[in-house]
Amino acid sequence: MVDQAGRVRSLSQNEYYHLCGFNDTTHIRKAHQAKYADTHKVMTELDSLKTGDMPKFLTACRKRVQHYDAMNNFYNKGLWSSKMKFRCYRKKQQAFSEITKMFNHGSNKYNTGASTNVKKSAKNSSSYSRPLSVFD
């Protein structure tokens, strides 16, 4: 986007991923997988259900039923998966708002102050632009 002064305003893919919190989520997910490496290994080695061979399909179903409790605990213990999905959703909404402000009015990237995570009510009149809380 080119503004009236002739400056080109752009946002790289890395900046977008950072604003949306994808990088943080990836690190948290990898740490969770390392913490429960044995369960993660079992899940990655499961056979596919997408097969036309009935014995392979039945074997894959049996393995899933056998390891159901471990897989359920992997995804639902502490509700970390749901929290991360919701956190990414909120961060994407904030990123969209911040990117729009960057391109239209200038902000942190253009040295006039970012509005994301700022506690001044004058900058953020919307009730949806509150700072994010840190999840466990």
Side-chain angles (χ1 to χ4, degrees):
M1 178 177 193
V2 179
D3 64 2
Q4 292 176 351
R7 294 177 297 202
V8 176
R9 296 179 183 247
S10 64
L11 186 75
S12 72
Q13 183 179 11
N14 289 338
E15 290 170 319
Y16 173 74
Y17 283 176
H18 177 71
L19 283 174
C20 291
F22 295 151
N23 298 334
D24 296 335
T25 303
T26 301
H27 292 296
I28 292 170
R29 186 180 302 117
K30 286 182 181 180
H32 184 77
Q33 288 173 355
K35 185 176 179 181
Y36 299 101
D38 53 342
T39 305
H40 185 258
K41 183 179 178 195
V42 167
M43 291 186 333
T44 56
E45 292 175 352
L46 287 174
D47 296 331
S48 174
L49 293 173
K50 296 179 181 181
T51 181
D53 189 14
M54 189 55 94
K56 283 185 179 180
F57 177 76
L58 292 174
T59 303
C61 288
R62 280 188 203 108
K63 285 184 180 180
R64 279 175 173 70
V65 170
Q66 222 174 13
H67 300 293
Y68 175 78
D69 289 334
M71 292 189 300
N72 189 34
N73 287 338
F74 179 81
Y75 285 111
N76 296 326
K77 190 169 189 170
L79 300 174
W80 74 273
S81 181
S82 299
K83 287 179 182 178
M84 294 310 301
K85 286 178 188 176
F86 185 64
R87 182 174 184 254
C88 277
Y89 169 77
R90 287 180 43 189
K91 294 269 296 187
K92 282 194 320 193
Q93 297 298 316
Q94 283 186 334
F96 179 74
S97 174
E98 181 63 28
I99 291 167
T100 304
K101 289 175 185 176
M102 260 189 235
F103 289 153
N104 292 332
H105 307 293
S107 92
N108 191 24
K109 186 174 178 182
Y110 302 106
N111 298 323
T112 59
S115 62
T116 303
N117 294 337
V118 174
K119 294 183 180 179
K120 295 179 182 177
S121 59
K123 281 224 177 210
N124 294 327
S125 60
S126 171
S127 64
Y128 294 102
S129 57
R130 293 173 290 160
L132 286 175
S133 62
V134 178
F135 289 107
D136 297 345

